Amino acid sequence: MDRKILIVGNWKMNLNVSQASILVHRLDQKIKIHKGVEMVLAPSTLCLQPVSMEIDRRKFRLSAQDAYYKDEGAYTGEVSFTMLRDMVSYCIIGHSERRLYFNETLETVRDKVSAAVRNEITPIVCIGETKTERTAGETKTVIHDQLITAFANLTSNEIENIVIAYEPVWAISTFGGEIAKPNDVQEIINFIRDQIKHLFGPIVAQRVRVLYGGSVSDQTVGTYLNLSGCDGALVGAASLNCYKFTGIIDVASKVHQTRLKIS
Ligand code: 13P
């Protein structure tokens, strides 16, 4: 398997413009161009423009963390995918923090996914269960509902280019930060691909990229990247630390080299 490993750093609501600039500068010094790893930074909306001027585009691509699903109009405070389309390659959509703190519904996520695709921005669609849902044995139902609604308005061709990030809420560092067991993550990655296969066919299921997110560090990333069908990681806290993020990229690069040797 020789497709690139995708590592996305979600900075969340951290770093002002000058702090973001310092981190970009440090990352640029420490990280070289990796042929086998696609590196994506997701700063706050405010920092996207300055960061876009500062990054070395041979190394990094940009992602937004959210955007509004209408293209323009009287929606005070919002930024649309249309406004972002020339600046970012990706947009994180439906992150659990947005679902839980900002009451984003399944339908809002669906509309944002459609808006991103309409504006030629690749959605990174976040799905995942809470601790309560897992304990109640509802994980697969939750994942199924999140997937099916998110993609309701897309064609199979559009879905194969999308990125799905499985982030169990209980594994996110700020929500408890339990380290998810590799077997549990493998089970859900398999389930996600099975669902996509069932709904949109085997080619889409094979082409769609699936990431893992939740307390990913340089210590744990290798285990997750070695799971079958795992295409990369969505990294929160560790992406704010130059050394930790660089460590994650180094591991990803090694995993990619091993995959090349095996294939
Ligand atoms: P942590 O890596 O801090 O657990 O965050 C994960 C996440 O929410 C990335 O989107």
Side-chain angles (χ1 to χ4, degrees):
M1 202 213 285
D2 65 350
R3 68 182 177 199
K4 284 189 180 192
I5 291 176
L6 176 59
I7 303 289
V8 184
N10 177 9
W11 293 357
K12 307 192 179 183
M13 198 180 73
N14 295 293
L15 308 183
N16 62 24
V17 172
S18 48
Q19 290 165 329
S21 171
I22 290 169
L23 181 56
V24 166
H25 188 67
R26 286 197 184 136
L27 289 172
D28 193 48
Q29 281 178 327
K30 280 190 76 68
I31 296 177
K32 58 181 174 65
I33 298 171
H34 287 282
K35 275 205 199 114
V37 186
E38 182 177 350
M39 299 176 280
V40 177
L41 304 177
S44 68
T45 309
L46 178 70
C47 292
L48 277 172
Q49 171 80 30
V51 168
S52 78
M53 315 287 274
E54 289 169 353
I55 50 167
D56 180 342
R57 286 174 184 271
R58 292 169 307 166
K59 294 184 190 171
F60 301 106
R61 302 175 90 186
L62 282 183
S63 172
Q65 296 178 14
D66 181 43
Y68 193 53
Y69 58 84
K70 299 278 188 181
D71 287 342
E72 61 182 2
Y75 303 101
T76 302
E78 294 298 319
V79 169
S80 71
F81 290 93
T82 313
M83 292 166 171
L84 293 170
R85 63 181 291 159
D86 294 325
M87 206 182 315
V88 302
S89 310
Y90 294 93
C91 183
I92 297 169
I93 298 177
H95 193 282
S96 54
E97 287 149 17
R98 296 219 55 86
R99 295 184 197 252
L100 294 169
Y101 299 147
F102 302 99
N103 304 319
E104 271 194 16
T105 63
L106 295 172
E107 290 72 28
T108 312
V109 173
R110 175 197 65 201
D111 292 345
K112 289 186 175 186
V113 170
S114 302
V117 172
R118 183 166 74 238
N119 285 287
E120 295 175 349
I121 292 171
T122 302
I124 301 171
V125 183
C126 298
I127 57 174
E129 79 287 1
T130 61
K131 188 77 189 167
T132 315
E133 288 162 345
R134 175 161 278 262
T135 311
E138 291 166 358
T139 300
K140 288 185 178 168
T141 315
V142 170
I143 301 282
H144 170 84
D145 292 350
Q146 289 174 340
L147 273 180
I148 205 165
T149 33
F151 299 153
N153 292 340
L154 303 187
T155 65
S156 298
N157 278 352
E158 288 167 336
I159 292 163
E160 66 183 42
N161 294 315
I162 278 175
V163 178
I164 299 168
Y166 172 52
E167 293 205 311
V169 178
W170 46 271
I172 295 176
S173 58
T174 45
F175 280 123
E178 264 182 68
I179 303 297
K181 293 193 189 78
N183 282 350
D184 290 340
V185 177
Q186 184 69 74
E187 187 185 350
I188 300 303
I189 290 177
N190 293 347
F191 178 74
I192 291 168
R193 290 202 189 271
D194 280 350
Q195 293 296 302
I196 300 286
K197 186 172 166 189
H198 179 67
L199 294 165
F200 308 106
I203 295 173
V204 181
Q206 196 233 325
R207 290 195 180 153
V208 75
R209 286 176 290 173
V210 181
L211 312 183
Y212 175 71
S215 298
V216 170
S217 68
D218 48 347
Q219 308 294 315
T220 60
V221 70
T223 310
Y224 297 124
L225 294 181
N226 278 318
L227 297 175
S228 160
C230 181
D231 294 296
L234 180 54
V235 185
S239 71
L240 294 165
N241 179 306
C242 176
Y243 294 96
K244 290 184 183 166
F245 196 62
T246 306
I248 289 170
I249 301 293
D250 287 343
V251 174
S253 178
K254 286 192 187 110
V255 170
H256 186 262
Q257 281 162 18
T258 312
R259 284 185 192 176
L260 282 184
K261 277 184 208 144
I262 293 169
S263 66

